[in-house]
């Protein structure tokens, strides 16, 4: 095949930590793609399981890079994987997700037909920790100029995305500080380039208790941090920008409130109060809605009742007394 007709290289980029068995499935789904050529780059963020052995079992088909564990929840590993990739197109694949065989071929075809496009995403279905199908996700992102929609919250799945390397070279690689580097990256792409949502279920997203998104307080904090970075990048005199930005802040406030209610109803009112304060600071209008005020009253009531019951429990030894005082 001549250089003029050669198909562009696609780099599959994965950051991983202690998920060797899931990682094997992810790599196998990448190798099963009908599109060639592919390179697979795996950055191991200090795993202590058999991740290295899994990657070695694929031989030269996987480029394995080890680094000591960072304190960024894999953000530095993601950024390093993207920078190490050599392809014209870059496809993110989380360590526990999988692809259907036609995914990359369908996305590359769109990229080549629409050279102005910055990213192409696919629809995805949810699988559980054993790989069983739990049905298609109803989270379907839009196509076109999606910047305003993304300000209101993430609408895409990381493992479903394919990006044009030249675009990432312009807008910048993954951020390692804000905590939701993929959403931040998509906002930067969408600020300058159109995005395509491929209406085909070509990605499988695994849901289990280790998913990062289950930490509601951290997600709220990271959502707020991402949005604050775009406060000065809204389109001038754009009412839709302002409305979308405010809607995104309301989303963060509601996540803070969710964390507060969980803590309060679990008898940990003091641990939840910082989230209540953060919700009020992030979006007072969201935190003070009548339905939220009613839920707040119920949560305080449950917390007080739980604490009273706990204080009535007999304590027969010093450690128990000390634990009650610390609760």
């Amino acid at each position: 095949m001549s250089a003029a007709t050669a198909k562009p290289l696609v780099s599959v980029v994965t950051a991983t930590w202690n998920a060797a068995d899931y990682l094997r499935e992810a790599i196998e789904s990448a190798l099963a793609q009908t599109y060639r050529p592919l390179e697979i780059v795996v950055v191991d963020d200090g795993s202590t399981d058999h991740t290295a052995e899994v990657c070695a079992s694929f031989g030269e088909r996987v480029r394995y890079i080890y680094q000591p564990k960072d304190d960024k929840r894999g953000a530095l590993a993601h950024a390093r994987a993207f920078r190490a990739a050599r392809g014209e197109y870059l496809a993110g694949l989380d360590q526990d997700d999988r692809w259907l065989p036609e995914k990359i071929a369908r996305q590359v075809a769109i990229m080549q037909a629409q050279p102005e496009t910055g990213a192409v995403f696919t629809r995805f279905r949810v699988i559980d920790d054993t790989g069983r199908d739990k049905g298609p996700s109803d989270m379907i992102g839009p196509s076109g100029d999606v910047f305003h929609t993304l300000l209101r919250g993430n609408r895409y799945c990381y493992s479903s995305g394919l990006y044009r390397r030249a675009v990432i070279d312009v807008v910048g690689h993954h951020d390692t500080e804000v905590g939701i580097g993929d959403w931040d990256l998509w906002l930067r792409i969408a600020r300058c380039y159109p995005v395509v949502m491929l209406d085909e279920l070509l990605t499988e997203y695994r849901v289990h208790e280790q998913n990062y998104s289950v930490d509601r307080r951290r997600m709220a904090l990271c959502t707020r941090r991402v949005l604050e970075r775009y406060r000065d990048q809204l389109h001038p005199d754009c009412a839709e920008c302002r409305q979308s930005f405010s809607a995104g802040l309301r989303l963060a406030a509601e996540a803070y409130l969710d964390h507060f209610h969980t803590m309060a109803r679990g008898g940990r009112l003091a641990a939840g109060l910082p989230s209540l304060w953060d919700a009020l600071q992030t979006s007072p209008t969201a935190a003070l809605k009548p339905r939220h005020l009613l839920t707040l009253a119920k949560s305080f009531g449950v917390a007080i009742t739980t604490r009273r019951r706990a204080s009535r429990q007999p304590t027969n030894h010093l450690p128990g007394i000390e634990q009650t005082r610390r609760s």
Side-chain angles (χ1 to χ4, degrees), residues 214-281:
V214 301
D215 187 342
R216 296 295 289 165
R217 175 167 174 77
R218 184 167 182 83
M219 287 299 295
L221 175 63
C222 293
T223 298
R224 181 178 174 181
R225 284 177 176 173
V226 169
L227 287 170
E228 289 296 342
R229 297 186 62 166
Y230 289 88
R231 185 182 294 275
D232 297 329
Q233 297 185 45
L234 305 180
H235 298 118
D237 302 318
C238 177
E240 189 173 358
C241 267
R242 294 192 299 272
Q243 293 168 2
S244 298
F245 183 80
S246 296
L249 290 178
R250 289 195 297 271
L251 184 69
E254 289 176 358
Y256 277 128
L257 289 172
D258 285 346
H259 181 262
F260 165 75
H261 295 315
T262 299
M263 294 294 102
R265 291 169 179 170
R268 302 178 60 194
L269 180 62
L273 286 175
S275 289
L276 176 59
W277 175 246
D278 286 335
L280 288 166
Q281 285 189 310

Side-chain angles (χ1 to χ4, degrees), residues 175-195:
D175 192 281
T176 60
E177 298 297 332
V178 295
I180 315 181
D182 47 4
W183 183 34
D184 177 66
L185 174 63
W186 301 334
L187 277 164
R188 280 186 273 129
I189 292 173
R191 182 68 175 78
C192 305
Y193 301 90
V195 168

Side-chain angles (χ1 to χ4, degrees), residues 284-295:
T285 56
L288 297 176
K289 283 184 178 180
R291 64 183 177 89
H292 285 316
L293 292 175
L294 179 60
T295 306

Side-chain angles (χ1 to χ4, degrees), residues 100-275:
L100 273 65
E102 293 291 331
K103 175 186 179 289
I104 296 298
R106 295 285 292 112
Q107 291 177 298
V108 170
I110 292 173
M111 282 286 200
Q112 293 182 314
Q114 303 179 33
E116 74 284 358
T117 297
V120 178
F121 297 91
T122 79
R123 290 189 61 194
F124 64 97
R125 60 176 66 252
V126 176
I127 58 176
D128 66 12
D129 54 355
T130 67
R132 289 179 297 182
D133 185 1
K134 306 297 287 185
S137 170
D138 59 2
M139 190 174 82
I140 305 173
S143 291
D145 181 357
V146 304
F147 180 66
H148 294 130
T149 301
L150 279 176
L151 285 173
R152 294 174 174 268
N154 175 35
R155 299 297 300 168
Y156 303 107
C157 169
Y158 172 77
S159 292
S160 78
L162 180 76
Y163 318 100
R164 199 180 299 276
R165 184 188 187 89
V167 166
I168 292 183
D169 288 343
V170 171
V171 303
H173 287 258
H174 276 71
D175 192 281
T176 60
E177 298 297 332
V178 295
I180 315 181
D182 47 4
W183 183 34
D184 177 66
L185 174 63
W186 301 334
L187 277 164
R188 280 186 273 129
I189 292 173
R191 182 68 175 78
C192 305
Y193 301 90
V195 168
V196 171
M197 179 70 187
L198 179 58
D199 190 17
E200 295 183 35
L201 293 164
L202 297 172
T203 302
E204 294 179 328
Y205 172 72
R206 196 184 304 266
V207 175
H208 49 80
E209 63 181 11
Q210 295 180 353
N211 284 104
Y212 171 41
S213 57
V214 301
D215 187 342
R216 296 295 289 165
R217 175 167 174 77
R218 184 167 182 83
M219 287 299 295
L221 175 63
C222 293
T223 298
R224 181 178 174 181
R225 284 177 176 173
V226 169
L227 287 170
E228 289 296 342
R229 297 186 62 166
Y230 289 88
R231 185 182 294 275
D232 297 329
Q233 297 185 45
L234 305 180
H235 298 118
D237 302 318
C238 177
E240 189 173 358
C241 267
R242 294 192 299 272
Q243 293 168 2
S244 298
F245 183 80
S246 296
L249 290 178
R250 289 195 297 271
L251 184 69
E254 289 176 358
Y256 277 128
L257 289 172
D258 285 346
H259 181 262
F260 165 75
H261 295 315
T262 299
M263 294 294 102
R265 291 169 179 170
R268 302 178 60 194
L269 180 62
L273 286 175
S275 289

Side-chain angles (χ1 to χ4, degrees), residues 13-15 41 43 65 67 70 72 74-85 90 158 165 168 172-177 181 185 188:
V13 289
T14 298
V41 180
V43 174
I65 302 171
Q67 67 175 33
D70 65 46
K72 304 292 185 181
L76 292 177
H78 274 290
R80 185 172 182 180
F82 267 75
R83 289 189 172 93
L90 310 178
Y158 172 77
R165 184 188 187 89
I168 292 183
H173 287 258
H174 276 71
D175 192 281
T176 60
E177 298 297 332
L185 174 63
R188 280 186 273 129

